[in-house]
Amino acid sequence: MAREPLENRFGLKRFMSEAGGLLQAIRGLGSVEDARERLFMRVSGSQFESLRDREAVSDFTLTVVRDCARAFRGMLNARSDERAGFSLIGALWDLARGAQRPDLGPGFFAEMIHIAAGLEGRARLTTRYDFRADSALEGRPAAIQRSEDLDRLWARVEEVMNRYEDGLSRPAADRRAARRAQVMSALSASESDFDDWEWQAAHIATDEVSLGRMVRLSGEEAAAVRAARRHNLPFGVTPYYAALMDDDSGTGRDRALRAQVIPTMDYVLSMAESRDVRTCAFDFMLESDTSPTDLVTRRYPSVAILKPINTCPQICVYCQRNFEIEDAMAPGAVAGEADLERAFEFITHRPALREILVTGGDPLALPDAKILKILRRLADIPHVDLIRIGTRTPVSMPMRITEGFAEALGGLREPGRREICVVTHVEHPYEVTRELAQAVDLLRRRGIGVYNQMVYTFFVSRRFEAARLRMLLRRVGIDPYYTFMPKGKDETGSFRVPLARLAQEQKEEARLLSGLQRTDEAVYNVPGLGKNYLRAVQHRDLLTILPDGSRVYDFHPWEKGISEREPYVGKDVPILSYLSRLEEIGEDPDDYSSIWYYY
């Protein structure tokens, strides 16, 4: 029998049944402020009682009670109402008085049901990992049991990971060889053509017709690409990357790859609606407020970004700079010499700038002579001791990393004086191929470190999907560097994942890997301010839960403790909506049940 859709399982009736105690505590009080105080005291009392009854309450339950109490008390604060523009206690007060609140939806009730369960020690967390220690054992017997438990735990982890095929496997390699032949045939290309990065850059698919010659598109995909081009939105896919997409896309193996470059219709329509004010509407990181001179962005004291090019060989749908990029390899996207010289002068006269990130666009879309001239100019600045190159070409066009270019790049290193590194963006295990591994090896043999920034989107957020990627990255010589929570941009809503899911992933999945495989830091890029570190709750405050179930956070600026800066109020994705989407693609929401208790 088919299960009832997840969103239908939460409503006012269930809330009254499972969380009615919250309303009972404030029923009959004279004002919302009285209700605020009463609930605050009730929550603190629940925590106190659980701590006092040590024998009856497990340490795990105590942790859940503590986290729920801390989160709920924060949401009851009057300042939270003001910051979020919505009063959680006001909504509960209305419900307690029998007032109608049709604005409150399943996502809101789901959150409140789980908070009440957590506060009362009733949290039901499903785990599929057989790991339990017998506290009666000591010494070698205890160690043997623990080792056996760890074996069982890892066997279950590998069982889950093996659902996600990677590009290094023999079946994937064979599949890609056949797809490569299809793409070459469609473009009348030879092997030497396909392996030439300049040929790749000259044969980028820029509409549904050219992509359709290389990839089997669904009607929905073709319509979205067609609409994107009609509205002059940037679009581009390299022949190499097109060959990574499967003919049998219904299997879902290449779901993340397609989502990376093929826009949804919602995205297209959102972008089109704000076409004339795109800089204002989509400059999420407020780069206009952190650019002291053309081509330069500066948010931190010792680091600056240099953008010598405003295009890429391939366009990521959720690109941070989707308001700037005109098209894949657009003519005129390369910065002029005068602008570049002003940027170099800015950097030269600021000795605080020790590290320069050269990005764009993708700077490796430039020919060798152009990009090496820029890098050498930076290397000549005495106080610049680290040059970082941000590029996705190892993933979208790995033949760009040639022997000659790697050799020239390595020649800019001066051990003890100046370091060169490459930061790329591998998003999914299915993108990890032998070609990618070879490109990375060329760089590492010249002493150039390679790091990865992953955006934790919906399409890479199933259980152990990102952990599988981290293990593969280390195998091919890439160090995990950052895992980004997707930016809160309305047009890329289909990519967004609740902060709680990333926190859950870091604790329950990434934590099971070795230290060398989980070197990445989970962060959220705060507009105009920079990175907010998600590992510690001290970097944010949960303000409220909106009627649709969205959590609203105050993200503290990185300057906290150094100077006074206003925090940033950010609206998250409803957990219930996220779990419903997972259910639609075949996941069991119960496997993610602890997500509700990450705040």
Side-chain angles (χ1 to χ4, degrees):
M1 182 181 295
R3 297 180 69 182
E4 182 183 17
L6 189 63
E7 297 225 0
N8 293 348
R9 299 175 215 167
F10 295 93
L12 179 59
K13 183 177 180 179
R14 181 173 173 183
F15 168 76
M16 297 299 292
S17 171
E18 299 185 26
L22 295 176
L23 304 187
Q24 184 63 35
I26 59 176
R27 192 167 285 128
L29 296 180
S31 71
V32 70
E33 292 307 316
D34 290 341
R36 189 192 305 277
E37 182 177 353
R38 174 69 63 82
L39 273 186
F40 191 96
M41 298 303 294
R42 176 186 173 90
V43 168
S44 297
S46 296
Q47 187 178 10
F48 179 80
E49 287 299 320
S50 64
L51 286 169
R52 187 168 63 177
D53 196 4
R54 295 290 291 113
E55 292 186 2
V57 181
S58 69
D59 288 334
F60 178 76
T61 298
L62 282 176
T63 301
V64 175
V65 172
R66 177 204 66 190
D67 293 344
C68 288
R70 180 171 54 196
F72 199 34
R73 280 195 297 261
M75 291 188 287
L76 291 173
N77 193 305
R79 177 181 178 276
S80 296
D81 294 358
E82 179 184 344
R83 295 283 295 168
F86 175 78
S87 174
L88 177 67
I89 183 61
L92 295 176
W93 171 243
D94 283 343
L95 292 174
R97 295 182 301 140
Q100 296 298 307
R101 288 297 301 259
D103 58 319
L104 303 179
F108 176 87
F109 291 122
E111 283 277 13
M112 297 312 302
I113 287 167
H114 284 96
I115 284 177
L119 287 171
E120 297 167 9
R122 298 184 289 104
R124 297 187 297 272
L125 306 182
T126 303
T127 178
R128 303 292 174 89
Y129 311 116
D130 185 17
F131 186 64
R132 54 190 181 280
D134 184 347
S135 59
L137 296 177
E138 296 179 348
R140 185 58 57 82
I144 291 172
Q145 178 183 299
R146 180 172 178 80
S147 181
E148 291 173 350
D149 285 344
L150 290 170
D151 284 340
R152 285 193 293 272
L153 173 62
W154 190 253
R156 175 55 182 153
V157 169
E158 286 205 324
E159 180 185 346
V160 178
M161 283 189 180
N162 288 338
R163 296 191 299 159
Y164 313 121
E165 189 170 350
D166 65 77
L168 297 174
S169 68
R170 173 50 57 189
D174 291 344
R175 200 176 299 121
R176 266 72 184 274
R179 287 286 298 118
R180 173 181 168 127
Q182 291 173 8
V183 171
M184 289 193 301
S185 175
L187 300 180
S188 301
S190 66
E191 292 280 352
S192 60
D193 287 335
F194 197 88
D195 291 331
D196 180 344
W197 78 268
E198 292 179 309
W199 179 91
Q200 289 275 336
H203 290 80
I204 295 166
T206 56
D207 55 36
E208 87 282 3
V209 174
S210 53
L211 183 60
R213 282 199 293 266
M214 296 188 282
V215 177
R216 188 175 297 171
L217 298 174
S218 69
E220 184 178 346
E221 290 171 331
V225 175
R226 191 160 54 247
R229 301 312 288 153
R230 186 168 63 249
H231 292 291
N232 298 316
L233 303 183
F235 175 80
V237 181
T238 65
Y240 167 81
Y241 200 81
L244 302 186
M245 298 181 196
D246 296 330
D247 286 329
D248 55 342
S249 62
T251 64
R253 284 185 305 257
D254 65 349
R255 180 187 291 114
L257 278 66
R258 288 175 179 259
Q260 189 77 15
V261 293
I262 299 175
T264 63
M265 191 61 78
D266 286 346
Y267 169 85
V268 172
L269 295 177
S270 180
M271 289 288 286
E273 286 172 5
S274 300
R275 177 175 51 197
D276 297 330
V277 289
R278 194 166 298 158
T279 299
C280 174
F282 299 114
D283 182 11
F284 184 80
M285 286 305 297
L286 300 180
E287 294 196 45
S288 57
D289 293 345
T290 51
S291 179
T293 189
D294 288 349
L295 311 183
V296 174
T297 299
R298 187 182 185 189
R299 300 190 191 98
Y300 309 105
S302 65
V303 185
I305 295 172
L306 176 66
K307 299 180 287 185
I309 184 171
N310 198 26
T311 190
C312 301
Q314 182 162 291
I315 308 299
C316 298
V317 175
Y318 53 76
C319 177
Q320 173 176 313
R321 301 190 177 100
N322 57 5
F323 66 96
E324 287 185 326
I325 293 176
E326 292 183 6
D327 213 348
M329 301 303 284
V334 180
E337 292 296 328
D339 285 339
L340 276 170
E341 191 54 39
R342 279 191 291 272
F344 291 138
E345 285 297 309
F346 177 87
I347 296 167
T348 299
H349 290 99
R350 281 157 184 83
L353 294 176
R354 309 303 297 270
E355 177 178 347
I356 304 300
L357 166 58
V358 183
T359 181
D362 193 320
L364 295 196
L366 295 168
D368 286 6
K370 182 72 172 178
I371 184 59
L372 289 171
K373 180 180 178 182
I374 291 169
L375 297 174
R376 289 179 182 127
R377 181 72 169 80
L378 290 172
D380 287 340
I381 299 174
H383 53 266
V384 173
D385 50 35
L386 177 57
I387 300 172
R388 193 178 357 149
I389 303 166
T391 177
R392 190 164 147 82
T393 57
V395 187
S396 64
M397 196 169 65
M399 55 284 296
R400 172 63 184 93
I401 311 300
T402 64
E403 290 259 6
F405 180 70
E407 188 73 36
L409 210 55
L412 295 174
R413 295 181 63 243
E414 190 176 328
R417 161 67 186 90
R418 182 190 318 106
E419 192 56 75
I420 309 291
C421 67
V422 167
V423 179
T424 191
H425 174 37
V426 191
E427 187 69 358
H428 194 270
Y430 210 43
E431 291 181 323
V432 180
T433 64
R434 288 177 175 81
E435 293 88 347
L436 167 65
Q438 290 164 1
V440 171
D441 188 57
L442 285 174
L443 295 169
R444 284 172 56 90
R445 286 178 184 272
R446 275 73 180 184
I448 299 166
V450 184
Y451 303 86
N452 193 62
Q453 296 187 151
M454 175 178 65
V455 181
Y456 196 69
T457 74
F458 173 82
F459 304 98
V460 298
S461 70
R462 291 174 293 178
R463 280 290 196 184
F464 288 98
E465 202 162 12
R468 171 92 162 133
L469 175 62
R470 292 187 189 91
M471 294 180 69
L472 286 167
L473 291 175
R474 288 301 302 129
R475 279 171 51 190
V476 300
I478 300 176
D479 293 311
Y481 176 40
Y482 277 126
T483 294
F484 285 98
M485 179 179 165
K487 295 177 178 64
K489 303 169 71 172
D490 291 341
E491 76 274 18
T492 54
S494 63
F495 288 89
R496 296 182 62 198
V497 171
L499 184 155
R501 173 62 188 124
L502 181 49
Q504 180 188 48
E505 194 276 338
Q506 293 281 295
K507 177 65 175 176
E508 300 179 14
E509 297 155 48
R511 186 62 183 85
L512 300 185
L513 306 181
S514 74
L516 289 176
Q517 293 170 330
R518 53 180 170 84
T519 53
D520 53 320
E521 184 74 55
V523 296
Y524 177 61
N525 247 346
V526 178
L529 298 177
K531 295 177 182 64
N532 176 279
Y533 288 83
L534 299 180
R535 194 178 299 273
V537 295
Q538 291 91 336
H539 297 311
R540 64 184 178 274
D541 293 312
L542 177 57
L543 297 177
T544 197
I545 296 165
L546 297 180
D548 67 351
S550 299
R551 295 178 179 181
V552 179
Y553 291 93
D554 242 354
F555 293 100
H556 300 177
W558 68 266
E559 297 101 323
K560 176 183 177 181
I562 300 172
S563 65
E564 288 284 340
R565 290 295 298 272
E566 279 290 307
Y568 170 75
V569 177
K571 176 184 172 183
D572 203 6
V573 176
I575 291 177
L576 187 64
S577 299
Y578 168 71
L579 293 178
S580 296
R581 288 187 70 194
L582 286 178
E583 189 174 51
E584 289 172 4
I585 62 171
E587 292 292 290
D588 184 350
D590 287 345
D591 287 341
Y592 302 80
S593 59
S594 63
I595 189 174
W596 299 100
Y597 300 104
Y598 285 92
Y599 298 105

